[in-house]
Amino acid sequence: MPKKILLVDDEPEIVKVTAFRLRKAGYEVTTLSSGQEALEYLGRPENKPDLILLDVFMPGLDGYQTCKTIKDNPDLRQIPVVFFTASSGQSRLEQQIKELGATDYVIKPFELEDLLDKISRYIK
Amino acid sequence: MKIANKIILAFLILALVSIAFYSVIFYFIVKYDVERMISTSLDIALSSRAHHVLTYLEMLKVSVGQLSKSVVLEDFLKANLKEGPERQRTFEIAMKRLRRTKEANPEILEFMLLDSTGKIVASTSPASIGLDRSADAYFVGGQKSVYLKDAYFSDVLKRPLIGTSAPIVDSNTGEFLGVIAARVDLALLDKITMDRTGLGKTGEIYLVNKYGYMITPSRSLKNTFLKQKVDTANFRNAQKHKAESYLLVRGHIGIFPDYRGVVTLGTHVYIPEMQWSLLGEIDLREAFMPLRTLRLVLLFVMLSAPLVIWLVGSYMARYITGPIHRLHRGTEIIGEGNLDYKVGIPDQDEIGQLSRAFDQMTAHLKNTTTSVDKLNQEVAQRKKVEQKLRENEVKYRTIFHASKDAIMLAVPEKGFIAANPATVEMFGCQSEEEFITYSPGSLSPEFQPDGTLSSLKSEKMMRLALEKGSYFFEWMHKRKDGQEFYATVLLAKMELEGRTILQATVRDITESRVVQDQISRLSQAVEQSPSVIAVTDLNGDLVYVNPKFSVITGYSSQEVIGKNPRILKSGDKTPGEYKALWDAIAAGKEWRGEFLNKKKNGEIYWEFASISTIRNQEGRPINYLKVAEDVTERKNIERLKDEFVNTVSHELRTPLTAIKESISIVFDGSAGELNSEQKDFLDTAKRNVDRLARLINDVLDFQKLQAGRVQFNFQAANINDVVKEVKDTMAPLVRNKGLGFNFELIENPPPLLMDKDKIIQVLTNLVNNAIKFTEKGSITISTSQNNNTVGVTVADTGPGIKSDDIPKLFRQFAQLDIGVARKTGSTGLGLAISKEIIEAHKGKIWIESEFGKGSKFCFLLPIKERRADRA
């Protein structure tokens, strides 16, 4: 049974290449383009990803807000959330991770090995 | 027992014994005299009465006897024998004679003339003529001679009487003719015995007849005549003289109870003719009254004697022992060593002499001991003074020498005579001897700071000190080398060996003046500072704010002093952040950070503040200090810049990511097999995309480092661990290039406070550079330890760097050789970033190189440096 990853990013190109990569690595990937979509998707009980890759800067609900909602939901709290951002605000990211209870972050442009490393570390 | 008591007791015994002895003797002498006197007087009284009685009886006998010789009565008795006128005539004459005699003797109550037959023939009481009295005692007793009839009570006359009678005989023939008898009143006898002369109050004399009945009245009893029986020892003694034939017999005096039973002193006289006893008695009480009084007096004397004796004895004892006491006290006082004491008893007796001898002796003793004592005392006194002087001198010398203040002694108008080491040092001299050669004037500049001439002013100061005893002032001095310094001077007047000298105590206050100047400079700086400066006490309440504070916040200093700075709080910080702030300050660290504050008018502003603890000299916190700047404007600009940089990086990175991943996907054949030419071009594209990504990252990193907005995570770490991690990641690259990779590490390096990831970044960068520029040889990483730094050196065997070029290397985009840069894909920012990181650790980074012989890139990290977090 392949592990499921939910990838949320408003940049279709990023989604395209990243999803391709993850699928190649053997994960089952669901891609969504906004925070609202992600929350709707996760609201359905049959959708239980093993890890969520969440872009920080998105129109509408940004990554932080989305993460907060996920972590406030007792059913979803256990799912590891890895931020995924092109931002250089590293210190802010680290602080947010702590406060929101997220698991880790990856800075774009990422090295493929880095990304796969982290994902495999958080998926049991 | 005390002498006084002994004297009193002896006195008492002696006096009492002698008083008792003499009293007894005296008593008996007096008693004897009194008794003799009383008995003599009683005797005399009794004798005299007895003679009176005898005389009385004689008189009776005489008067009756004379009558019996009367011719008239003889004639009548002769005539009476025959009737006739003769008888009548002689009767008349006889009667006349009887009446005449009776009238001459009033005590004679009746004369009776009895004839030879005992018949009354004539009588002064005519009624009795003719009565026959031949049986009567007158007649019987009176026939031969004068007869006295014992006292009897006459029933006819109703009174006690005594009768007497005498015979009448014929003068011629001697023929018995008759008897003349008289009844005599006893009143005369009573008168005699009742005469109290010489008998006192209780004495009495009375007559007792031969039968023991009283015939004269009793003094105390009535109606005793022939009724009161007297049967006393006195009477019985008198009766013993019955046989004697004297007229009177005097008895012995004795003590007897009388007829009443009362004890009396009594005696008697016996009258044999009548067989009467004349008893004289006096109550013993009265008789011995003088003796009783004497006894009482003696008793009183005996009783009161002890008191008088005691008083006298006490006085005597005091009189005698007083001087002895004084003498004794004197010996005690002198015995205690007071030879000046004089007993001084003026008496001329033995004790007085003893006292004078004693005083003389002590005087003599004193004369001999005083000289020795005086000498000893003087020696001890002198020793004490010398000791004191020595101690004082040592004390003064110690103070003088050890004092940090310059102390010098000077004789006014003469110059210095002494100076302590501090003085010598203060004025830059070699020795005290050198110092005292200088005149006071030469140790001051010409003018004092107030413009007066030093010489004039110093004279004034000395004058003031001499007048007031001491004077304190500030003075500009000049060292021997000409250097001037400001000092306080205490001039004190002293007397030393008769000379007036001045002691000057000089304290260099240059330093405190410097400090004062510094304080005023600093306070002016604080007042004028463009930064907000606020000081709170340990409770956090404001105690000082500078003017800039008021300008920025809108609060005047009066409004905020004593209040907590939280009035400025806008609520931007969480309690956790405040806690971190106070923890840092409490730990003695400086806290730096930003506050979003609220002005008095409600406007919000940013300030960048540094908060630290002000400590006193003992290191104890006394205040908190905040120095802050209004950074609102800068914050706004930075925010804009951050936003811009973020946007740019996001906008650049997003497409770059897509490009990079797309190329990778194609390149690794995931999207279908490529030929080698295609692969080569894609590889070029991929490397340049990577380089572009690195460049963007480096630019952003560097920009953030420079802005101080990179957060360092300082933790204790081992430098050898850092080297090891770099070795692990870099060893493949080094090997790929065919270079040697050597390590020279110190053992047990001290732990350092560092951001390990950042130091790894620096070292990786240095090793990267070495790999890039070294074509053959080796790369060596070595660590070293100095006093308080740990050093890391990356040495290569590359081409080396010209010394002129070395400073350029740490600049941004410093590429010495554009060709190399292109070839190695270097961004030109690595060393600049490394420099920023090392400097953020308070370390140092530098290059040592000899052109053509390789380079050494070195950095040092401090061992003990602790750093406050930076925002």
Side-chain angles (χ1 to χ4, degrees):
Chain A
M1 183 76 172
K3 298 288 181 186
K4 287 183 267 182
I5 292 175
L6 174 63
L7 174 60
V8 187
D9 199 330
D10 62 322
E11 300 279 351
E13 282 85 1
I14 300 289
V15 170
K16 184 180 153 195
V17 293
T18 309
F20 180 83
R21 277 299 204 189
L22 294 174
R23 285 190 186 113
K24 267 278 181 204
Y27 295 108
E28 188 186 312
V29 182
T30 307
T31 63
L32 294 169
S33 62
S34 74
Q36 285 93 330
E37 280 178 22
L39 293 177
E40 276 167 36
Y41 171 81
L42 289 167
R44 292 190 287 276
E46 67 272 23
N47 300 327
K48 281 281 176 295
D50 294 297
L51 186 137
I52 301 167
L53 264 174
L54 194 55
D55 185 26
V56 174
F57 293 108
M58 291 184 292
L61 275 179
D62 67 8
Y64 298 138
Q65 291 163 319
T66 309
C67 178
K68 189 176 186 319
T69 313
I70 293 166
K71 291 294 173 187
D72 284 347
N73 186 334
D75 295 335
L76 306 173
R77 188 177 292 159
Q78 303 309 316
I79 303 170
V81 174
V82 175
F83 283 124
F84 189 56
T85 181
S87 160
S88 61
Q90 201 176 325
S91 54
R92 177 116 200 269
L93 255 173
E94 283 176 3
Q95 193 187 326
Q96 292 287 346
I97 282 167
K98 255 189 229 164
E99 284 180 17
L100 294 171
T103 308
D104 209 341
Y105 64 92
V106 179
I107 291 179
K108 294 185 276 189
F110 48 81
E111 293 296 329
L112 180 67
E113 295 306 320
D114 251 11
L115 180 68
L116 293 177
D117 227 34
K118 285 190 174 169
I119 287 170
S120 64
R121 201 185 301 167
Y122 303 125
I123 288 182
K124 284 140 201 142
Chain B
M1 198 189 246
K2 287 169 100 177
I3 287 179
N5 294 343
K6 280 181 184 166
I7 289 173
I8 292 168
L9 193 72
F11 211 73
L12 203 66
I13 291 169
L14 212 67
L16 283 179
V17 166
S18 49
I19 284 174
F21 179 71
Y22 288 114
S23 294
V24 168
I25 289 176
F26 181 65
Y27 177 77
F28 281 108
I29 288 172
V30 171
K31 190 182 172 199
Y32 175 74
D33 271 1
V34 166
E35 274 176 4
R36 214 178 54 167
M37 189 184 77
I38 289 185
S39 51
T40 303
S41 106
L42 191 64
D43 224 14
I44 288 168
L46 197 64
S47 297
S48 117
R49 301 297 188 284
H51 281 287
H52 267 95
V53 170
L54 266 184
T55 307
Y56 172 69
L57 292 176
E58 201 56 42
M59 182 201 79
L60 286 180
K61 279 189 349 194
V62 167
S63 61
V64 175
Q66 277 177 348
L67 268 181
S68 70
K69 299 284 192 284
S70 166
V71 180
V72 176
L73 298 183
E74 193 185 325
D75 287 348
F76 170 61
L77 284 177
K78 283 180 188 163
N80 195 35
L81 293 174
K82 305 171 262 190
E83 282 296 324
E86 193 53 22
R87 183 185 169 260
Q88 196 61 37
R89 200 206 27 113
T90 52
F91 173 73
E92 294 294 332
I93 295 165
M95 278 300 286
K96 212 189 261 175
R97 176 70 187 267
L98 286 178
R99 278 195 290 269
R100 237 187 11 247
T101 308
K102 185 182 175 273
E103 277 157 25
N105 297 282
E107 67 275 20
I108 293 176
L109 299 173
E110 186 184 8
F111 274 119
M112 293 174 291
L113 190 63
L114 290 89
D115 62 16
S116 56
T117 62
K119 196 173 86 182
I120 296 173
V121 286
S123 172
T124 49
S125 306
S128 53
I129 294 173
L131 293 175
D132 184 1
R133 287 281 187 265
S134 56
D136 208 288
Y138 313 123
F139 184 69
V140 178
Q143 282 179 16
K144 297 266 170 48
S145 58
V146 177
Y147 168 74
L148 280 172
K149 187 188 176 184
D150 209 344
Y152 66 98
F153 193 80
S154 165
D155 295 327
V156 181
L157 295 172
K158 303 281 180 216
R159 58 169 67 193
L161 296 175
I162 185 166
T164 183
S165 58
I168 300 169
V169 289
D170 187 334
S171 49
N172 296 323
T173 61
E175 184 193 359
F176 176 69
L177 295 176
V179 169
I180 178 74
R183 294 179 199 266
V184 183
D185 196 339
L186 268 180
L188 190 63
L189 209 55
D190 290 356
K191 224 182 198 169
I192 293 166
T193 58
M194 293 297 278
D195 177 6
R196 307 197 55 75
T197 310
L199 289 174
K201 269 191 213 161
T202 58
E204 75 178 323
I205 288 174
Y206 55 93
L207 275 172
V208 178
N209 67 11
K210 59 181 174 188
Y211 306 111
Y213 289 98
M214 278 176 82
I215 52 175
T216 53
S218 159
R219 234 181 58 171
S220 47
L221 302 175
K222 281 181 178 168
N223 200 18
T224 54
F225 186 76
L226 293 179
K227 285 184 182 153
Q228 179 64 45
K229 179 85 178 164
V230 177
D231 187 14
T232 64
N234 201 11
F235 172 72
R236 283 194 294 275
N237 283 345
Q239 288 298 309
K240 287 176 185 165
H241 307 297
K242 249 188 218 169
E244 295 184 28
S245 53
Y246 301 102
L247 275 177
L248 289 172
V249 183
R250 275 172 40 194
H252 293 295
I253 203 156
I255 294 168
F256 326 98
D258 69 359
Y259 57 95
R260 298 161 300 161
V262 176
V263 178
T264 56
L265 185 71
T267 186
H268 59 269
V269 174
Y270 189 68
I271 305 171
E273 189 183 11
M274 295 299 293
Q275 294 183 333
W276 284 354
S277 300
L278 184 65
L279 303 182
E281 288 164 352
I282 184 164
D283 282 7
L284 201 62
R285 264 176 77 87
E286 190 193 350
F288 289 149
M289 186 61 94
L291 279 181
R292 267 199 7 185
T293 310
L294 179 68
R295 274 206 306 275
L296 280 175
V297 167
L298 287 179
L299 192 67
F300 174 76
V301 167
M302 291 286 272
L303 289 176
S304 58
L307 181 69
V308 175
I309 290 161
W310 182 74
L311 285 173
V312 173
S314 296
Y315 174 76
M316 286 294 289
R318 242 203 327 271
Y319 179 74
I320 293 168
T321 59
I324 295 176
H325 274 305
R326 277 175 65 183
L327 194 62
H328 175 239
R329 226 181 100 67
T331 58
E332 273 181 350
I333 291 171
I334 291 160
E336 282 163 13
N338 183 1
L339 295 181
D340 292 326
Y341 187 79
K342 289 265 178 292
V343 180
I345 298 167
D347 301 3
Q348 289 306 313
D349 58 14
E350 288 85 343
I351 291 173
Q353 283 170 8
L354 181 60
S355 135
R356 278 188 290 283
F358 199 77
D359 285 349
Q360 222 163 20
M361 184 190 79
T362 46
H364 190 66
L365 189 64
K366 193 187 159 194
N367 281 341
T368 49
T369 54
T370 305
S371 47
V372 176
D373 264 10
K374 248 189 198 159
L375 215 59
N376 281 341
Q377 247 170 28
E378 220 164 280
V379 167
Q381 185 66 26
R382 203 168 290 174
K383 267 186 188 164
K384 230 157 101 181
V385 169
E386 274 172 17
Q387 174 74 16
K388 195 86 186 161
L389 272 175
R390 254 203 309 280
E391 279 171 12
N392 281 346
E393 198 191 327
V394 167
K395 261 188 225 162
Y396 180 77
R397 201 177 282 279
T398 308
I399 293 167
F400 188 72
H401 279 275
S403 174
K404 294 272 191 285
D405 292 331
I407 303 172
M408 58 216 81
L409 302 178
V411 178
E413 287 153 21
K414 287 245 174 81
F416 294 116
I417 53 170
N420 70 346
T423 309
V424 174
E425 194 190 345
M426 184 178 282
F427 287 95
C429 296
Q430 298 299 317
S431 64
E432 185 183 355
E433 287 71 27
E434 185 199 344
F435 175 81
I436 59 176
T437 61
Y438 292 106
S439 68
S442 67
L443 296 172
S444 307
E446 197 178 354
F447 293 99
Q448 286 299 304
D450 63 1
T452 53
L453 265 172
S454 291
S455 52
L456 283 179
K457 200 175 177 187
S458 68
E459 273 173 32
K460 187 180 160 198
M461 297 294 124
M462 281 198 260
R463 207 177 56 242
L464 284 168
L466 290 171
E467 278 170 14
K468 297 183 174 186
S470 70
Y471 197 66
F472 186 78
F473 54 93
E474 293 190 355
W475 191 257
M476 183 65 86
H477 291 82
K478 195 172 77 180
R479 284 162 57 93
K480 186 184 148 196
D481 61 12
Q483 194 189 333
E484 292 179 3
F485 65 95
Y486 212 64
T488 59
V489 179
L490 174 66
L491 269 185
K493 187 175 134 185
M494 296 171 110
E495 294 294 330
L496 190 68
E497 291 159 2
R499 282 190 300 175
T500 298
I501 60 162
L502 281 170
Q503 176 184 276
T505 307
V506 178
R507 183 176 292 179
D508 188 341
I509 57 166
T510 311
E511 215 166 292
S512 63
R513 277 174 70 93
V514 166
V515 169
Q516 258 172 10
D517 290 350
Q518 199 173 350
I519 288 170
S520 53
R521 272 199 299 275
L522 285 176
S523 55
Q524 196 170 347
V526 167
E527 289 281 315
Q528 292 183 0
S529 170
S531 298
V532 170
I533 294 170
V535 179
T536 73
D537 59 21
L538 293 181
N539 294 325
D541 294 332
L542 288 163
V543 294
Y544 172 80
V545 294
N546 71 344
K548 185 70 177 178
F549 178 92
S550 304
V551 171
I552 299 283
T553 63
Y555 290 106
S556 70
S557 68
Q558 290 95 322
E559 281 177 293
V560 293
I561 295 298
K563 296 203 175 112
N564 194 286
R566 73 169 72 91
I567 52 167
L568 301 172
K569 228 160 120 178
S570 66
D572 71 313
K573 282 208 166 3
T574 60
E577 285 172 306
Y578 277 112
K579 190 180 179 298
L581 186 161
W582 286 113
D583 284 351
I585 293 172
K589 290 188 212 162
E590 180 190 7
W591 183 89
R592 280 195 208 172
E594 287 168 348
F595 290 108
L596 187 58
N597 280 350
K598 203 161 67 182
K599 295 185 183 179
K600 193 182 178 184
N601 60 13
E603 205 179 302
I604 297 292
Y605 71 99
W606 276 100
E607 75 176 5
F608 177 74
S610 156
I611 297 178
S612 57
T613 307
I614 301 174
R615 288 166 191 278
N616 63 9
Q617 285 189 323
E618 289 79 42
R620 203 163 326 150
I622 50 169
N623 290 103
Y624 297 121
L625 168 71
K626 181 177 91 168
V627 180
E629 264 174 86
D630 182 355
V631 291
T632 312
E633 209 166 316
R634 202 180 80 196
K635 279 293 267 198
N636 287 339
I637 293 166
E638 274 174 11
R639 205 180 63 240
L640 286 173
K641 191 174 149 200
D642 277 358
E643 277 169 18
F644 173 75
V645 169
N646 270 335
T647 309
V648 166
S649 70
H650 192 261
E651 291 307 314
L652 284 172
R653 278 168 167 177
T654 303
L656 202 61
T657 307
I659 294 165
K660 190 173 174 255
E661 284 310 296
S662 300
I663 290 169
S664 293
I665 288 163
V666 175
F667 184 77
D668 66 15
S670 300
E673 284 301 310
L674 297 178
N675 63 32
S676 60
E677 207 171 0
Q678 288 168 327
K679 225 175 175 174
D680 185 40
F681 281 114
L682 271 175
D683 186 41
T684 304
K686 188 173 176 287
R687 272 190 285 110
N688 279 284
V689 167
D690 285 344
R691 189 177 157 194
L692 186 60
R694 273 205 306 279
L695 183 62
I696 291 166
N697 282 341
D698 281 359
V699 167
L700 289 171
D701 271 1
F702 183 66
Q703 183 261 330
K704 280 199 292 185
L705 278 168
Q706 273 204 318
R709 285 185 296 114
V710 171
Q711 199 159 2
F712 284 83
N713 178 24
F714 289 101
Q715 277 173 347
N718 185 327
I719 194 70
N720 286 354
D721 293 346
V722 172
V723 174
K724 238 166 260 163
E725 280 196 39
V726 174
K727 176 189 174 185
D728 290 347
T729 50
M730 300 305 281
L733 290 174
V734 177
R735 262 198 308 277
N736 279 352
K737 211 168 176 189
L739 299 171
F741 206 7
N742 306 322
F743 297 89
E744 296 167 6
L745 304 181
I746 52 169
E747 279 177 28
N748 299 324
L752 302 173
L753 266 184
M754 63 166 98
D755 187 328
K756 198 174 162 188
D757 289 343
K758 298 283 194 299
I759 298 299
I760 288 172
Q761 188 185 338
V762 170
L763 193 55
T764 305
N765 184 31
L766 296 180
V767 173
N768 249 326
N769 281 347
I771 295 168
K772 280 178 210 163
F773 294 101
T774 307
E775 295 307 324
K776 57 178 182 183
S778 62
I779 296 168
T780 304
I781 302 179
S782 56
T783 55
S784 63
Q785 185 182 351
N786 213 321
N787 275 343
N788 44 12
T789 53
V790 165
V792 180
T793 302
V794 178
D796 63 46
T797 53
I801 306 155
K802 288 177 188 156
S803 55
D804 292 350
D805 293 333
I806 291 174
K808 299 176 192 166
L809 283 172
F810 293 103
R811 292 183 196 157
Q812 307 164 42
F813 302 109
Q815 294 289 355
L816 298 183
D817 188 332
I818 299 301
V820 171
R822 215 171 279 137
K823 203 167 82 189
T824 59
S826 166
T827 62
L829 282 168
L831 282 176
I833 290 170
S834 294
K835 186 168 181 270
E836 290 289 334
I837 289 171
I838 295 300
E839 282 174 2
H841 281 78
K842 295 263 164 125
K844 197 181 154 197
I845 187 165
W846 75 98
I847 298 164
E848 295 171 6
S849 181
E850 210 176 314
F851 191 63
K853 284 195 176 173
S855 310
K856 281 181 183 172
F857 285 76
C858 316
F859 64 87
L860 288 176
L861 292 174
I863 291 173
K864 283 183 178 170
E865 188 66 22
R866 289 178 68 90
R867 292 182 45 88
D869 291 355
R870 267 213 239 173

